Amino acid sequence: MQTSSSSMPLPKRLIGFFAVMIALTAAVAVLGVILGMVGSFVSNGGGGVTWTFLTEFPRNNNTEGGIWPALAGTTLLVLLMTILGVPVGTATAIYLTEFAKQDSWFARSVRFAVNTLAGVPSIVFGLFGVGFFIQFMGNGLDSWLGTSSFGDGSLLWSAATLAVLTLPVVIVAVEEALRAVPRDLREASLALGATRWQTITKVVIPNAVTGILTGSILAVGRGAGEVAAILFVGVTYSSESIPTAVTEKFMHLGYHLFVLSTQSPDVDLTLPLQYATTLVLLGLTFLLNLTAILIRSRLRKR
Amino acid sequence: MEWSIRLVASASIVVIFLILLFVMREAATLFVGKSATTTQATSTGAPTADLAPESYNPDAEAAPASTEPDVYNPEAQDPAAAGSQGEPGAPGQFIYASKNPKYPEIYNPDTGLLPTDIDEVVEETASADTLAEQSVLSKLGGDAWQPVGEIPKFGVKPLLIGTFKTTSIAILIGAPLGILAALYVAFFARRRVREIVKPAIELLAGFPSVVIGFFCLVTVASYIQDVTGAPYRLNAIVGGIGLALAVIPIVFSIAEDALSAVPKTLREASLALGSTEWQTAYRVMLPAAAPGVFAAVLLGIGRAFGETMIAIMATGNAPLSSFSPLEPARTVAATIGSEMGEVVWGSEHYGVLFFMGVMLFVFSFGLNAITELYVKKRLIKKFQGQ
Amino acid sequence: MAKDLPLKIETHDFSFFYGAKQALHNITIGIPERRVTAFIGPSGCGKSTFLRSINRMNDLIDGTRVDGHMVVDGADVYSKDVDVVTLRRRIGMVFQKSIPFPKSIYENITYGLTLNERRSKSDLDSIVESCLRRAALWDEVKDRLHNSALGLSGGQQQRLCIARAVAINPDILLMDEPCSALDPISTGKVEELITELKDTYTIVLVTHNMQQAARVSDFTGFFLMGSLIEFDRTRTLFTSPSKKETEDYITGRFG
């Protein structure tokens, strides 16, 4: 018997070649589109991203000038969102990893809810923002406090909507970090006579800080780019000033791009602005995601 | 301490109920008779009462209304709104300078007007009274979506067709690409290559959907029009490609997880039987990961039909009852996204939009329940026997 | 020793490296055709690594390297023009854990057969039956051939894996501790099967169980720290080992 000649007939070898090539082609195609997209934004928008573009107000019905209020509005929005959402997400993750019996009815329900929440279309969160935050909470607060500032779209309600939307992102990231904390560490702490709560605050959370950070960054990345959910809960296409109160409306990079590219009278005129805005928005989310990915991969190696 | 953290942890469950409750509550205005008292008005300030009394005529729509067989049948011609196109940010207008001046890409949902038929509006005779008295549900079952006008029409059929059309295109493009790329990364790529390709594709998941929508609007649309010669620059294919870009990273990362989770021993066993790497990948590993790959496609579908910004920006956003991929489409999500900002809160139109929100929620909930309860069990069963 | 028997597998100064770490040291051995050869030794001694070198399964691990010669049927397995796939089709392998594919019993058997050629249904049916009969599994599974193989017991799964390996009609069967995860009754059945199969196949068996080696094998090799300490007829090796290390091991002084 020979070992050297192949038993595989030529047609089969061809099929094998194509089977690998088609998978390779798919991967290359996806990468190509990503590179093409980024390349087009960089080459068309790169020149437009200047210091004045970042720091000026838009002028002349958004057809000239910069994106400062949109940049500032987005930043304020994600900061407020983080303050509202990350503690809840972290607490949920702590509950799921540290307290819950993994197959208990309650833990399974929470998990199911988190996964469901991750799959709900963002536009539904937008409707939820209108129905719950503005109509129910806002109007409720107004009639209770005798004010008239809560019953309308605002920075606060947009941030709250996004906090709900990004909740699963935070929970999943923090949970992963908490699971990476070795069991021995917990047991060592408990064996020294620490209570469960002391173990969590003194041992588990300090070890999971990077995870909480990753979760927050990912959430911020998601929130910064999310437009559909805030369309009717407080974003505005033009603003004379940076919001100074949480009940004010605000400008947002993503919405700004949306308005410029679809709703302005002469879209071609503002095309350079659109590209520059896209580049800023993409650069922002890209940086955030990249940071999170790097932190995460370091965490996984540990 | 434990009970308080348990309370916070239940937030996710509470939110699910709150979403259902409060989105439904707003939709409920439809069914409690409040709708009869509200009038339709838009924030553009176009006084609808001043409109020419043009109303829906089923006969007129059934017959070809104009020389263009696929023309969207306008219900109201609103010169005021048409004139207001000059206002920046006038809501609901989606304008894009077309390469082909014959078909300026203007669709104004306030008037239900497509550019091609501006000059070809057919005068319709009234059947207003009968329509106004129709029940909400039979209105939703209608054939046309023209929410603004003297007799608003809330037929969701064109929207469902549009959603179906764009979602199908997105999945037909996105699922094979995502799965094959996952197969490549999981089994064929060398480790160096894998460590670059995988995060690169996953980075696409972080692209804001407005950015993808913008890319489709300015780049993909021109390219597709050059290739296909489609009359409308923005159409279901362009939208479908945009949605596919949103679907690919989801399908990719879930499928890749599922493929990598197949025990390495299976690969060894297959190779030991004298099969090649590709035979092992396609005949053993892929079938073994099938439930996970199926879940990836389901979640991809969920992403595609619920995606709003890409659908608004790249599909042409016209509620046509056409299955042609080269014609514009309007999805349910895009309808909510583009009209919610202009409705009178509490009006019938408002209720209908919320009702569609409930539809989206229920559908995504169902998809998720299938993946959670069925697919994961299948996956576990597959590797543990019984 | 077995100079009178034709040799199926021969190695000369065969060494194996995981990166910088040498796992096998200059192994020289001749494994006779149509006999059962067992390798024993403490865990980590290299016996499995040696087994997996025969059909080049170690190629799958990054950063491995071999030195010396591994000759099967007179041809060097590691020479450049060898097609690994063809090689593996001639050398069947059964693993420590039974690894049925998540497919039906029937599909598990036919998997290797249909990789490169089409075969008629009746052809496949008869091969499936004969392989399952050879593996002494036919009577237990004949009514549920199209059920998932994962529904079988551990012992049945392992016999299915043997049937699957036999189906592609190899000359050599490599068995890597095939009974270590099985209960005594299943082990007995697999051992019985090995004895029956040795008329047709050259069987190389790695086991941590000396009684098993004594029961089923004709020849036994003792590995220690990556070296082949002693290789002889099983009876000779167990009754009058020539090396001190072998004696220490089989009398239970270590390992």
Side-chain angles (χ1 to χ4, degrees), chain C residues 132-238:
Chain C
L132 286 172
R133 279 191 192 284
R134 296 213 70 164
L137 197 58
W138 176 253
D139 292 331
E140 292 162 61
V141 302
K142 64 178 181 227
D143 300 324
R144 44 172 173 155
L145 287 177
H146 295 283
N147 292 5
S148 169
L150 296 166
L152 298 173
S153 73
Q156 288 172 327
Q157 287 188 3
Q158 193 60 299
R159 278 180 283 149
L160 176 69
C161 288
I162 295 175
R164 186 174 71 184
V166 165
I168 54 172
N169 208 14
D171 311 336
I172 301 170
L173 272 182
L174 307 178
M175 298 191 176
D176 191 357
E177 303 197 19
C179 301
S180 64
L182 301 182
D183 59 273
I185 292 172
S186 304
T187 301
K189 285 186 176 167
V190 172
E191 286 180 5
E192 217 171 281
L193 181 57
I194 292 172
T195 317
E196 276 167 34
L197 291 173
K198 76 174 177 185
D199 296 339
T200 330
Y201 306 100
T202 304
I203 296 175
V204 186
L205 171 76
V206 162
T207 176
H208 62 270
N209 179 338
M210 277 181 279
Q211 283 73 33
Q212 183 171 63
R215 278 195 300 266
V216 301
S217 71
D218 305 301
F219 293 87
T220 300
F222 171 59
F223 275 80
L224 188 64
M225 315 256 293
S227 297
L228 180 65
I229 303 296
E230 189 169 350
F231 180 61
D232 213 327
R233 286 191 184 275
T234 300
R235 198 178 303 147
T236 318
L237 188 123
F238 277 100

Side-chain angles (χ1 to χ4, degrees), chain A residues 115-152:
Chain A
N115 287 332
T116 303
L117 217 50
V120 171
S122 41
I123 192 75
V124 176
F125 284 100
L127 294 178
F128 175 64
V130 173
F132 180 68
F133 288 122
I134 298 180
Q135 299 279 52
F136 181 72
M137 300 259 292
N139 285 334
L141 275 176
D142 276 346
S143 62
W144 184 47
L145 300 168
T147 56
S148 62
S149 47
F150 290 105
D152 196 7

Side-chain angles (χ1 to χ4, degrees), chain A residues 59-275:
Chain A
R59 291 189 310 268
N60 204 358
N61 279 330
N62 287 349
T63 55
E64 287 168 36
I67 52 166
W68 169 238
L71 204 54
T74 309
T75 310
L76 289 173
L77 176 73
V78 294
L79 281 179
L80 194 53
M81 174 203 82
T82 311
I83 294 168
L84 293 173
V86 169
V88 179
T90 306
T92 307
I94 289 176
Y95 177 78
L96 285 175
T97 45
E98 305 299 320
F99 291 105
K101 291 186 189 68
Q102 290 315 303
D103 48 357
S104 76
W105 180 86
F106 182 71
R108 274 176 26 210
S109 308
V110 172
R111 255 174 232 291
F112 182 78
V114 172
N115 287 332
T116 303
L117 217 50
V120 171
S122 41
I123 192 75
V124 176
F125 284 100
L127 294 178
F128 175 64
V130 173
F132 180 68
F133 288 122
I134 298 180
Q135 299 279 52
F136 181 72
M137 300 259 292
N139 285 334
L141 275 176
D142 276 346
S143 62
W144 184 47
L145 300 168
T147 56
S148 62
S149 47
F150 290 105
D152 196 7
S154 66
L155 193 58
L156 175 66
W157 299 139
S158 294
T161 305
L162 285 188
V164 175
L165 185 142
T166 53
L167 200 56
V169 180
V170 179
I171 294 173
V172 169
V174 178
E175 223 193 314
E176 191 188 10
L178 291 175
R179 291 203 184 286
V181 177
R183 188 144 288 278
D184 305 355
L185 227 54
R186 296 186 178 87
E187 284 170 1
S189 167
L190 291 170
L192 286 170
T195 63
R196 202 179 201 186
W197 188 247
Q198 287 168 328
T199 304
I200 289 170
T201 52
K202 298 226 157 62
V203 177
V204 177
I205 294 184
N207 272 286
V209 162
T210 45
I212 298 169
L213 199 66
T214 321
S216 313
I217 294 172
L218 282 174
V220 166
R222 176 80 200 274
E226 182 58 57
V227 178
I230 55 167
L231 274 176
F232 355 104
V233 276
V235 76
T236 179
Y237 63 87
S238 169
S239 166
E240 302 294 313
S241 61
I242 310 298
T244 51
V246 292
T247 49
E248 284 178 34
K249 290 190 187 288
F250 62 99
M251 284 180 76
H252 180 273
L253 273 179
Y255 186 68
H256 188 64
L257 170 63
F258 170 64
V259 171
L260 283 186
S261 62
T262 60
Q263 323 232 322
S264 82
D266 190 345
V267 174
D268 280 336
L269 182 72
T270 60
L271 205 55
L273 288 184
Q274 295 167 32
Y275 272 115

Side-chain angles (χ1 to χ4, degrees), chain B residues 6-359:
Chain B
R6 190 183 161 106
L7 199 69
V8 181
S10 63
S12 305
I13 303 176
V14 173
V15 163
I16 294 285
F17 280 110
L18 287 182
I19 292 178
L20 196 61
L21 185 68
F22 280 92
V23 177
M24 268 182 160
R25 191 178 86 137
E26 299 302 313
T29 52
L30 271 186
F31 302 98
V32 293
K34 204 174 156 190
S35 59
T37 59
T38 55
T39 51
Q40 300 294 322
T42 68
S43 58
T44 51
T48 38
D50 292 348
L51 289 177
E54 289 157 354
S55 52
Y56 181 64
N57 185 339
D59 299 326
E61 179 153 77
S66 65
T67 50
E68 296 254 358
D70 48 19
V71 164
Y72 174 67
N73 201 353
E75 184 237 344
Q77 188 177 15
D78 185 354
S84 73
Q85 280 161 16
E87 279 175 33
Q93 291 174 21
F94 303 99
I95 311 159
Y96 198 78
S98 170
K99 281 194 164 175
N100 184 351
K102 207 180 153 197
Y103 298 105
E105 293 278 332
I106 305 165
Y107 170 69
N108 187 336
D110 295 52
T111 58
L113 223 57
L114 259 192
T116 40
D117 42 37
I118 286 174
D119 304 323
E120 298 167 3
V121 175
V122 179
E123 291 288 326
E124 290 168 340
T125 47
S127 56
D129 302 330
T130 50
L131 228 104
E133 284 160 17
Q134 278 177 2
S135 77
V136 176
L137 280 179
S138 67
K139 272 191 194 174
L140 289 173
D143 284 337
W145 177 265
Q146 287 152 22
V148 179
E150 195 173 344
I151 297 94
K153 290 198 281 291
F154 297 115
V156 292
K157 197 175 126 191
L159 309 182
L160 293 180
I161 290 174
T163 308
F164 173 79
K165 196 159 76 166
T166 49
T167 303
S168 308
I169 295 170
I171 294 301
L172 286 177
I173 297 171
L177 277 178
I179 293 169
L180 286 169
L183 208 58
Y184 174 75
V185 166
F187 300 129
F188 301 135
R190 262 179 283 169
R191 207 171 61 198
R192 276 282 165 69
V193 179
R194 175 164 60 230
E195 276 167 9
I196 297 168
V197 175
K198 197 180 162 194
I201 296 181
E202 282 171 349
L203 218 49
L204 182 59
F207 276 44
S209 47
V210 261
V211 167
I212 296 177
F214 175 68
F215 178 68
C216 293
L217 190 68
V218 292
T219 308
V220 178
S222 305
Y223 181 73
I224 292 295
Q225 194 171 37
D226 286 348
V227 171
T228 63
Y232 300 98
R233 193 169 174 280
L234 297 178
N235 52 50
I237 286 212
V238 177
I241 291 173
L243 294 177
L245 288 176
V247 164
I248 285 170
I250 290 182
V251 173
F252 171 81
S253 74
I254 299 172
E256 208 270 335
D257 281 351
L259 290 169
S260 307
V262 178
K264 291 281 167 284
T265 51
L266 273 183
R267 176 166 166 250
E268 289 202 335
S270 172
L271 292 172
L273 283 171
S275 73
T276 60
E277 289 279 1
W278 68 267
Q279 284 169 329
T280 305
Y282 281 89
R283 292 190 54 172
V284 176
M285 307 304 263
L286 190 59
V293 175
F294 180 61
V297 175
L298 283 188
L299 293 178
I301 293 173
R303 178 71 207 269
F305 80 78
E307 173 53 49
T308 306
M309 300 318 289
I310 299 174
I312 292 181
M313 294 168 83
T315 56
N317 218 19
L320 306 178
S321 289
S322 152
F323 283 97
S324 162
L326 288 176
E327 281 184 39
R330 168 179 265 220
T331 71
V332 172
T335 305
I336 302 173
S338 55
E339 292 178 13
M340 191 64 211
E342 287 89 59
V343 295
V344 171
W345 286 16
S347 68
E348 186 179 32
H349 187 185
Y350 174 90
V352 171
L353 294 180
F354 269 91
F355 179 77
M356 296 196 301
V358 175
M359 277 168 43

Side-chain angles (χ1 to χ4, degrees), chain B residues 191 265-277 279-280 283-284 287-288 381-386, chain C residues 52 55 57 60 62 85 88-89 91-93 95 99-103 111-112 114-116 150-151 164-165 168:
Chain B
R191 207 171 61 198
T265 51
L266 273 183
R267 176 166 166 250
E268 289 202 335
S270 172
L271 292 172
L273 283 171
S275 73
T276 60
E277 289 279 1
Q279 284 169 329
T280 305
R283 292 190 54 172
V284 176
K381 204 173 146 189
K382 207 146 197 184
F383 293 126
Q384 298 178 349
Q386 290 110 50
Chain C
R52 291 165 57 94
N55 66 344
M57 286 305 279
L60 302 177
D62 287 336
V85 170
R88 292 194 187 129
R89 291 188 75 80
I91 307 178
M93 188 164 198
F95 296 83
I99 313 166
F101 299 128
K103 298 167 180 282
Y111 174 77
T114 54
L115 281 173
N116 291 330
L150 296 166
R164 186 174 71 184
I168 54 172

